[in-house]
Amino acid sequence: MHLRGFINLSFFLTVWLGSAVAIPAAIVCAYYGIYVPAYFIIAQISFRLIFPAKKWDWVRETLCSEKTPYTKTCKIVLEKGATVPEPNSRVITSVAPHGILTCGWSFVVGSDTFASADSKWLVAPAMMNLPFLGDLMRWTGCESADPKSMHKVMKTGANIGLIPGGFNEISLFKRHHHRVFFKARKGFIKYALQYGYSVQPAYCFGEELSYW
């Protein structure tokens, strides 16, 4: 793994885990009479309700870019006849597998190759709702994958990208094995038919080697 890619991944995981424990930790601190962490989190959430975080290209290019690959070999290969979607061309880029660290997904989201598609990258609603991590997700151009948000985005005809397997695919992870979870993930196909979208599958080879 490249040093810069390792630093970026470590930073993301630190923010992710820190955000997950921030609210429970603040509640525990408040229980013992330490109120500063709770005040800080309340202030952060209140600030974002008034001033929502917006896409910040610098963050996307720094954390997940072809210029800062996670591994020595990290590239996007388009099959014969396949092209990067034109902006607002009603294309769903369906990425698999999820893996544990989603290195492949991060690379696709930040790649110069897919930048021209101007896709809306959809992630688990829980990630968007957590303090701090939600900001980071919005800065990289991600949005929530909940039905309401998907309907809102797809009504505009904007391209979207998602990982249909979600948490179930994480639980199937096994090193050196290619495993995906699609059988119970038909909702995005229904929406594609409803809004006239085509589905472009993308597979991340090497994701099965990204964790132990």
Side-chain angles (χ1 to χ4, degrees), residues 12 15 18 20 29 49 66 68 85 107 109 127 130 173 183-184 193:
F12 173 76
V15 173
C29 289
L49 288 174
E66 289 175 307
T68 56
F107 182 71
V109 170
M127 297 183 71
L130 286 173
F173 181 87
K183 288 184 178 181
L193 294 171

Side-chain angles (χ1 to χ4, degrees), residues 47-91:
F47 179 80
R48 282 307 175 203
L49 288 174
I50 301 172
F51 304 103
K54 298 181 179 180
K55 184 178 179 180
W56 188 0
D57 287 334
W58 180 82
V59 175
R60 181 186 65 82
E61 293 170 0
T62 301
L63 289 182
C64 41
S65 170
E66 289 175 307
K67 298 175 183 177
T68 56
Y70 295 109
T71 60
K72 294 180 179 179
T73 302
C74 204
K75 61 182 179 180
I76 293 176
V77 178
L78 296 174
E79 289 295 318
K80 185 177 181 180
T83 59
V84 175
E86 294 293 329
N88 298 309
S89 57
R90 297 181 181 272
V91 174

Side-chain angles (χ1 to χ4, degrees), residues 110-141:
S111 69
D112 295 332
T113 304
F114 273 86
S116 62
D118 194 26
S119 297
K120 304 293 184 182
W121 301 98
L122 310 183
V123 300
M127 297 183 71
M128 301 298 293
N129 294 330
L130 286 173
F132 315 119
L133 180 61
D135 289 348
L136 187 61
M137 292 291 95
R138 291 180 176 87
W139 288 338
T140 59

Side-chain angles (χ1 to χ4, degrees), residues 6 10 24 29-30 35 44 66 74 85 109 147 169 172 177 179 207:
F6 174 77
S10 299
C29 289
Y35 299 105
Q44 196 273 342
E66 289 175 307
C74 204
V109 170
E169 209 162 79
L172 292 176
H177 288 73
R179 293 179 170 180
E207 191 72 53

